[in-house]
Amino acid sequence: MRAAQWQDYELIDTLDGERLERWGDILLIRPDPQILWSGEKRDPRWGQAHARYQRSSSGGGRWTYYKKVPEVWKIRWEDLTFRLKTMGFKHTGIFPEQAVNWQFARDKILQEHRPPEHPVRVLNLFGYTGAASLACLGAGAAVTHVDASKGMVQWAKENAQASSLEDRPVRWLVDDCVKFVQREQRRGRTYDGIIMDPPSYGRGPGGEVWKLEEQLYRLVELCVPILSENPLFFLLNSYTTGLSPAVMEYLLGVLLQKRFGGQVSSGEIGLPVTSTGLTLPCGSTAIWQR
């Protein structure tokens, strides 16, 4: 599944463990351990990068700046605007390969033709800076966005403002996702769609430890009772090596198909590389849909 509908983002080239990327007018070089191949860096933009992130042998890493990079700059996808910045651990604030999932969720919501007074209700767990939430809001859904990081939730709000979606029906919540889902069960609140992009490892706001392989089945299982009687979709994304798309598809099949019918599918998501026309795999997605 290729996320190819970008204008403001481009994966220009991949060589020697690094990506050369264009984010709007900013050129960045970032490490990617799965880029195992070598070759000649023929594109002159390798020598024109604004900044490069280099990992440290002792862990972590740092940005080296060759040109001035704005503290915050903006790029667009479709009608959405995202605020970017160079962060620790090589990140910029969005994962462009996720555009294929944003498009899927948006299309499913639009196909429902729901009136504004009865919108599709979407829960976005581990919502990060809110790109998936904005895609759903823009399609007319009412969204509950949950992330354990206060800073990420604030960033998501700022992206909503930049996209002129701040007045749409949305709840921005700083919370531990597992505990939030458990409380929603007790409250009897339900959703027509759930999006989940859990980290491989993390900590909740109260120091709760999260390990994906140990807790993913339990979390998806907890989500089943908070799906509506006739839900639209459940989208599960992962960057955890060793957790294959087929395993995630099987998990959704076991937990959702028996109760709701529908169909499950999965695959790698990736980005087209301009220099070769090939696709760089960037993660795994499994989807249950009605």
Side-chain angles (χ1 to χ4, degrees):
M1 294 187 284
R2 285 164 59 117
Q5 64 272 53
W6 277 99
Q7 290 181 317
D8 282 358
Y9 172 84
E10 180 187 5
L11 179 50
I12 299 167
D13 202 3
T14 61
L15 282 172
D16 300 316
E18 292 183 315
R19 305 179 179 196
L20 172 63
E21 300 167 291
R22 177 180 61 82
W23 304 79
D25 297 326
I26 304 296
L27 295 175
L28 300 179
I29 298 172
R30 301 191 299 156
D32 189 327
Q34 68 181 339
I35 298 172
L36 307 176
W37 43 94
S38 297
E40 184 183 348
K41 293 179 177 175
R42 294 176 180 168
D43 195 302
R45 288 174 287 184
W46 279 105
Q48 298 167 7
H50 290 73
R52 182 183 192 182
Y53 188 90
Q54 293 172 288
R55 294 195 189 281
S56 166
S57 56
S58 58
R62 66 184 182 89
W63 287 97
T64 300
Y65 295 93
Y66 307 117
K67 301 177 184 178
K68 183 173 177 58
V69 175
E71 185 176 341
V72 175
W73 76 100
K74 295 176 182 178
I75 66 171
R76 289 180 62 82
W77 175 80
E78 301 286 340
D79 55 347
L80 304 179
T81 299
F82 305 121
R83 302 171 77 258
L84 305 184
K85 52 190 172 187
T86 50
M87 305 160 60
F89 198 64
K90 80 177 183 180
H91 296 310
T92 63
I94 63 165
F95 295 93
E97 63 275 7
Q98 288 294 326
V100 68
N101 289 331
W102 309 335
Q103 189 67 56
F104 166 82
R106 171 177 278 190
D107 290 347
K108 293 296 285 186
I109 293 162
L110 288 172
Q111 287 164 13
E112 284 295 286
H113 303 292
R114 295 270 188 96
E117 60 271 20
H118 296 292
V120 172
R121 301 182 305 278
V122 175
L123 172 62
N124 186 12
L125 296 170
F126 309 95
Y128 196 49
T129 60
S133 296
L134 300 193
C136 295
L137 284 172
V143 177
T144 299
H145 173 106
V146 186
D147 196 279
S149 167
K150 185 177 181 180
M152 291 301 117
V153 173
Q154 178 58 35
W155 195 337
K157 291 180 182 179
E158 292 165 0
N159 280 337
Q161 290 169 350
S163 299
S164 300
L165 293 171
E166 68 270 27
D167 295 330
R168 298 294 179 96
V170 58
R171 294 190 296 159
W172 305 109
L173 302 175
V174 180
D175 207 341
D176 174 79
C177 288
V178 174
K179 292 182 177 178
F180 174 79
V181 169
Q182 290 171 329
R183 287 198 299 275
E184 290 293 83
Q185 272 195 35
R186 294 194 291 270
R187 288 187 281 247
R189 189 173 282 135
T190 60
Y191 298 89
D192 303 304
I194 294 179
I195 298 169
M196 187 188 297
D197 189 6
S200 301
Y201 179 87
R203 288 187 180 274
E208 305 88 348
V209 176
W210 164 269
K211 290 184 180 178
L212 185 65
E213 298 94 326
E214 296 177 6
Q215 292 170 271
L216 180 60
Y217 178 85
R218 176 61 178 150
L219 179 55
V220 176
E221 187 179 41
L222 284 172
C223 287
V224 175
I226 65 169
L227 285 166
S228 60
E229 290 183 5
N230 194 23
L232 287 180
F233 65 87
F234 194 114
L235 193 156
L236 173 61
N237 192 78
S238 172
Y239 291 97
T240 303
T241 23
L243 189 60
S244 73
V247 167
M248 298 197 306
E249 178 181 337
Y250 197 95
L251 188 151
L252 294 186
V254 166
L255 289 172
L256 298 174
Q257 262 190 311
K258 185 176 180 180
R259 177 164 175 176
F260 298 110
Q263 61 186 44
V264 288
S265 59
S266 65
E268 287 188 322
I269 56 174
L271 292 165
V273 181
T274 302
S275 65
T276 62
L278 301 172
T279 300
L280 180 72
C282 300
S284 300
T285 294
I287 294 171
W288 171 88
Q289 57 184 307
R290 190 170 74 198

